[in-house]
Every structure is written in C-alpha cells, then in structure tokens.
Amino acid sequence: IFFHKKALNLHIYPMFVHKKCFLHAFCWPFHFLFISLQLTAPDSPRSIRAPPCLFCCSISENLKTTNAMSFTEHCNLIFNQAIRDYHVTDNIDTPINNPYDRDSIENRLYLKCWIDTVQWHFEDIIRDPHIEPLEALALKRRIDRSNQDRTDLVEQIDSYFRQKYSDVSVQPDARINTESPAWAVDRLSILALKIYHMREQVERKDATEEHVQKCQAKLNVLLEQQVDLGTAIDQLLEDIEAGRKYMKVYRQMKMYNDPSTNPVLYNNKK
C-alpha cells in the first residue's frame, strides 16, 4: 500500500502499458528502488518514469494518473520523456523509437518533441565556426526538412483538436484566439528543451560561479514561463470545450519550399 500511494503521488508515467499482469506485485521492490534513485534527479518529480516491469514491461495501467492531470502536464511528461530518450545517445542520427500507439495524440506529442530535440542539436552543430562548408550545406538541408516536418506535425495536432471539439456548440459571442492550440503546444515543447539545456548549464562543473548564477536566474524564468504557458493553454482548451472560444486553423503556406512559388526554384526550370 505504501508503494502504491508513493507511486501515485509521483505521477509515474509508464513507457508501455499492459492492462493485466498477475505477476506484477512481485516487481514492486524493483520499481521502488529505481524510483527512489530518481528522486534526486534534476527533473521534476512529475517527470519520473518507472523502469520496465520485470514481467510485464510496465507499471499497471491502474496506477496511471493521466486523467488527473491537465493536458499540458501530460504534454510535459511526454516532452521530458522524448528529451531524455534522445540524450541517451545524444546523436542526431539516432532513430526514433516512439513508445506510443501510432494513432494516439501521445505519439504525435512524442514525435513533435523528438523533432524539436534533434533540430536543437542541428542548430548547435551548424554554428561551429570550423564546420566544413559542404557539411554545413548538408546540415542546412536537414534543418529545412526538419522545419517542414515540424510544421506538418503541428497541423496534425491541430486536426486532433478540431476533431475532439467538433461537436461543441459555439456560443454566439465566442471569440477566436491569436494562435491555434497546437502552435501553443509547439512553444511548450521548445520550452521543455530550453529548460533541459539551461539546467545542464547550471550543473556544469567547468563553468564559473558567475555563469552558473546567470543560468540559474534564466532557468527560474523559464520554469515560471512553463507554468504560465501551460495554464494559458489549458484555459484555452477549456474555453474551446465550453464554446467560449472557437478554433480556426490556417494551414502554413511555406512559399520557399514550393517549387511553384519560390522564384529561384521555378526560374531554374527554364
């Protein structure tokens, strides 16, 4: 019972879920040991993820507390998971291993943050003053493709919201927001990356005390911003669900990616 309550309080989010496992009770000492070791990690307790179950690969679905979370809290758990998974190898060529069902919103959120994380490191590498010109050009092409993938994915997430709220009766005086929910979620994903990497700077052993203090101050602001942005997104979704606001999605028109609208590309065909 103690372990069960402890797990619930930590908001453990499993990588995989099996609904039934009669052997699972034997795994609690194993789980609790790893959970205890993670309590001192820099991540928030809500981002702690249990290790795979010895018998069924995960903590029972009965322990999930996702329903008690807000949407953005759920997002942040998945974003932190994607960021941690990437940094196991910390290599831009590491293939993604998305643990969520392909048709779920969790799959899209994980993929979104994975793309953002890889691109974060693209941007680090391309700023190397000693990078070879051909390598830089190839990397720029990868950044362009990544940007397009990111845009396409945001639109997929907006499609999820449009479907979810398609039956809502919009109030006569309903207002529109300046951005769609998915583009706000895009900002939340980037913010999770900023927090992760700013925390790395705070924990650097080779940095001066002045550098650490400056980064700690920035980290404090980022964490506050994460709370504020999450609150704003959750309130926006509540307003949409109640009909007080309505969604209107404009597809991104990337003219420079389109051979028919980029003059450099269509003039080269002549």
Side-chain angles (χ1 to χ4, degrees), residues 83-138:
I83 294 168
R84 287 196 307 270
D85 289 349
Y86 171 86
H87 284 94
V88 169
T89 61
D90 202 4
N91 187 313
I92 57 175
D93 295 316
T94 300
I96 185 174
N97 182 22
N98 196 322
Y100 298 101
D101 182 79
R102 182 174 178 79
D103 295 328
S104 67
I105 185 60
E106 289 82 5
N107 179 285
R108 301 294 88 185
L109 293 170
Y110 185 98
L111 177 56
K112 172 69 181 66
C113 193
W114 183 274
I115 290 173
D116 293 338
T117 305
V118 174
Q119 184 158 336
W120 180 286
H121 293 277
F122 283 164
E123 300 288 359
D124 279 347
I125 295 169
I126 205 167
R127 283 165 174 76
D128 181 355
H130 304 296
I131 192 172
E132 292 293 330
L134 289 179
E135 182 184 353
L137 178 60

Side-chain angles (χ1 to χ4, degrees), residues 6-7 10 12 28 30-40 48-51 59:
K6 187 72 172 178
L10 291 176
I12 296 169
W28 270 115
F30 173 76
H31 285 303
F32 186 70
L33 172 62
F34 278 82
I35 292 166
S36 300
L37 291 174
Q38 290 184 76
L39 283 174
T40 57
I48 293 175
R49 187 181 63 198
I59 290 180

Side-chain angles (χ1 to χ4, degrees), residues 165-179:
Y165 299 119
S166 59
D167 295 331
V168 170
S169 298
V170 179
Q171 297 180 14
D173 59 345
R175 298 181 178 184
I176 192 170
N177 207 53
T178 57
E179 63 183 350

